[in-house]
Coordinates of all heavy atoms in Angstrom, one line a residue:
Y255 N 68.8 135.5 81.5 CA 68.3 136.9 81.1 C 66.8 136.9 81.0 O 66.1 135.8 81.2 CB 68.9 137.3 79.8 CG 68.7 136.4 78.6 CD1 67.5 136.4 77.8 CD2 69.6 135.3 78.3 CE1 67.3 135.6 76.7 CE2 69.4 134.5 77.2 CZ 68.2 134.6 76.4 OH 68.0 133.8 75.4
S256 N 66.2 138.1 80.8 CA 64.7 138.2 80.9 C 64.0 137.4 79.7 O 64.5 137.4 78.5 CB 64.3 139.7 80.8 OG 62.9 139.8 80.5
A257 N 62.9 136.9 80.0 CA 62.1 136.2 79.0 C 61.6 137.2 77.9 O 61.4 136.7 76.8 CB 60.9 135.6 79.7
L258 N 61.6 138.4 78.3 CA 61.1 139.4 77.4 C 62.2 139.8 76.3 O 61.9 140.5 75.3 CB 60.6 140.6 78.1 CG 59.6 140.4 79.2 CD1 59.2 141.6 80.0 CD2 58.3 139.7 78.6
E259 N 63.4 139.3 76.6 CA 64.5 139.7 75.6 C 64.4 138.8 74.3 O 65.0 139.1 73.3 CB 65.8 139.6 76.3 CG 66.1 140.7 77.2 CD 67.4 140.6 77.9 OE1 68.4 140.2 77.2 OE2 67.5 140.8 79.1
R265 N 60.8 132.3 72.3 CA 60.3 131.9 73.6 C 59.5 130.6 73.4 O 59.6 129.7 74.2 CB 59.5 133.0 74.2 CG 60.2 133.8 75.3 CD 59.3 134.6 76.1 NE 58.1 135.1 75.4 CZ 57.9 136.4 75.0 NH1 58.9 137.3 75.2 NH2 56.9 136.8 74.4
Y269 N 60.2 127.2 75.2 CA 59.3 126.6 76.3 C 58.9 125.2 75.8 O 58.8 124.3 76.6 CB 58.1 127.5 76.4 CG 58.2 128.8 77.2 CD1 57.4 129.8 76.9 CD2 59.2 128.8 78.2 CE1 57.6 131.0 77.7 CE2 59.4 130.0 78.9 CZ 58.6 131.1 78.6 OH 58.8 132.3 79.3
L282 N 60.3 126.1 85.3 CA 60.3 127.4 86.0 C 61.7 128.1 86.0 O 61.8 129.3 86.2 CB 59.9 127.2 87.5 CG 58.5 126.9 87.8 CD1 58.3 126.6 89.2 CD2 57.6 128.1 87.4
Y285 N 63.9 131.2 82.3 CA 64.5 132.5 82.2 C 64.7 133.1 83.6 O 64.1 132.6 84.5 CB 63.6 133.4 81.4 CG 63.4 133.2 79.9 CD1 62.3 132.5 79.5 CD2 64.4 133.6 79.0 CE1 62.2 132.2 78.1 CE2 64.3 133.4 77.7 CZ 63.2 132.7 77.2 OH 63.0 132.4 75.9
L286 N 65.6 134.0 83.7 CA 65.9 134.7 84.9 C 64.8 135.3 85.7 O 64.7 135.2 86.9 CB 67.0 135.7 84.6 CG 67.6 136.5 85.8 CD1 68.4 135.5 86.7 CD2 68.5 137.6 85.3
D287 N 63.8 135.8 85.0 CA 62.8 136.7 85.6 C 61.5 136.1 85.7 O 60.4 136.8 85.9 CB 62.8 138.0 85.0 CG 62.5 138.0 83.5 OD1 62.5 136.9 82.9 OD2 62.3 139.1 83.0
I288 N 61.3 134.8 85.5 CA 60.0 134.2 85.5 C 59.2 134.5 86.8 O 58.0 134.8 86.8 CB 60.0 132.6 85.3 CG1 60.5 132.3 83.9 CG2 58.7 132.0 85.5 CD1 59.6 132.8 82.8
T289 N 59.9 134.4 87.9 CA 59.1 134.6 89.2 C 59.4 136.0 89.8 O 58.9 136.3 90.9 CB 59.6 133.6 90.3 OG1 61.0 133.6 90.4 CG2 59.2 132.2 89.9
V290 N 60.0 136.9 89.0 CA 60.1 138.3 89.5 C 59.5 139.3 88.7 O 59.4 140.5 89.1 CB 61.6 138.6 89.9 CG1 62.2 137.8 91.0 CG2 62.5 138.4 88.6
N291 N 59.2 139.0 87.5 CA 58.6 140.0 86.6 C 57.3 139.4 86.1 O 57.3 138.4 85.4 CB 59.6 140.3 85.4 CG 59.0 141.2 84.4 OD1 57.8 141.3 84.2 ND2 59.9 141.8 83.6
D292 N 56.2 140.1 86.4 CA 54.8 139.5 86.1 C 54.6 139.4 84.6 O 54.0 138.4 84.1 CB 53.7 140.4 86.6 CG 53.7 140.4 88.1 OD1 54.6 139.7 88.7 OD2 52.9 141.0 88.7
E293 N 55.2 140.2 83.8 CA 55.1 140.2 82.3 C 55.8 138.9 81.8 O 55.3 138.2 81.0 CB 55.7 141.4 81.7 CG 54.9 141.9 80.4 CD 55.6 143.1 79.8 OE1 56.1 144.0 80.6 OE2 55.8 143.1 78.6
A294 N 57.0 138.7 82.3 CA 57.8 137.5 81.9 C 57.0 136.3 82.3 O 56.9 135.3 81.7 CB 59.2 137.5 82.6
N295 N 56.5 136.3 83.5 CA 55.7 135.2 84.1 C 54.5 134.9 83.2 O 54.3 133.7 83.0 CB 55.3 135.6 85.6 CG 54.6 134.5 86.3 OD1 53.5 134.1 86.0 ND2 55.3 133.9 87.2
A296 N 53.9 135.9 82.7 CA 52.7 135.7 81.9 C 53.0 134.9 80.6 O 52.2 134.1 80.2 CB 52.0 137.0 81.6
T297 N 54.2 135.1 80.1 CA 54.6 134.3 78.9 C 54.6 132.8 79.1 O 54.1 132.1 78.3 CB 56.0 134.8 78.3 OG1 57.0 134.5 79.2 CG2 56.0 136.3 78.0
L298 N 55.2 132.4 80.3 CA 55.2 131.0 80.6 C 53.9 130.5 81.0 O 53.4 129.4 80.5 CB 56.3 130.7 81.7 CG 56.4 129.3 82.1 CD1 56.8 128.4 80.8 CD2 57.5 129.1 83.2
A299 N 53.1 131.3 81.7 CA 51.7 130.9 82.2 C 50.9 130.6 80.9 O 50.2 129.7 80.8 CB 51.1 131.9 83.1
Y323 N 46.6 132.0 88.3 CA 47.6 132.7 89.2 C 49.0 132.8 88.5 O 49.2 132.3 87.5 CB 47.7 131.9 90.6 CG 48.2 130.5 90.5 CD1 49.5 130.2 90.6 CD2 47.4 129.5 90.3 CE1 50.0 128.9 90.6 CE2 47.8 128.1 90.3 CZ 49.1 127.9 90.4 OH 49.6 126.6 90.3
L324 N 49.9 133.5 89.2 CA 51.3 133.6 88.6 C 52.0 132.3 88.7 O 52.0 131.7 89.8 CB 52.1 134.7 89.4 CG 51.6 136.1 89.3 CD1 52.2 137.0 90.4 CD2 51.9 136.7 87.9
I325 N 52.4 131.8 87.6 CA 53.1 130.5 87.6 C 54.3 130.5 88.6 O 55.1 131.5 88.5 CB 53.4 130.0 86.2 CG1 53.9 128.5 86.3 CG2 54.4 130.9 85.5 CD1 53.9 127.8 84.9
G326 N 54.4 129.5 89.4 CA 55.5 129.5 90.4 C 55.1 130.1 91.7 O 56.0 130.1 92.7
Q485 N 58.9 140.5 99.0 CA 59.4 140.8 97.6 C 59.2 139.5 96.7 O 59.5 139.6 95.5 CB 60.9 141.0 97.7 CG 61.3 142.4 98.3 CD 62.8 142.4 98.8 OE1 63.5 141.5 98.5 NE2 63.1 143.4 99.7
S486 N 58.8 138.5 97.3 CA 58.8 137.3 96.4 C 57.3 137.1 95.8 O 56.4 137.8 96.1 CB 59.0 136.0 97.3 OG 57.8 135.8 98.2
I487 N 57.3 136.3 94.8 CA 56.1 136.0 94.1 C 55.0 135.4 95.1 O 53.8 135.5 94.8 CB 56.4 135.0 92.9 CG1 55.2 134.9 92.0 CG2 56.9 133.7 93.4 CD1 55.5 134.1 90.7
K490 N 52.1 137.3 96.3 CA 51.0 137.6 95.3 C 50.0 136.5 95.1 O 49.0 136.7 94.3 CB 51.6 138.0 94.0 CG 52.6 139.2 94.1 CD 53.2 139.5 92.7 CE 54.3 140.6 92.8 NZ 55.0 140.6 91.6

Side-chain angles (χ1 to χ4, degrees):
Y255 56 86
S256 170
L258 306 176
E259 284 178 46
R265 256 194 329 255
Y269 287 151
L282 285 173
Y285 289 100
L286 182 65
D287 56 352
I288 292 297
T289 55
V290 292
N291 176 338
D292 291 3
E293 215 185 318
N295 188 285
T297 64
L298 182 59
Y323 61 91
L324 293 168
I325 186 167
Q485 288 158 15
S486 73
I487 190 171
K490 300 177 187 169

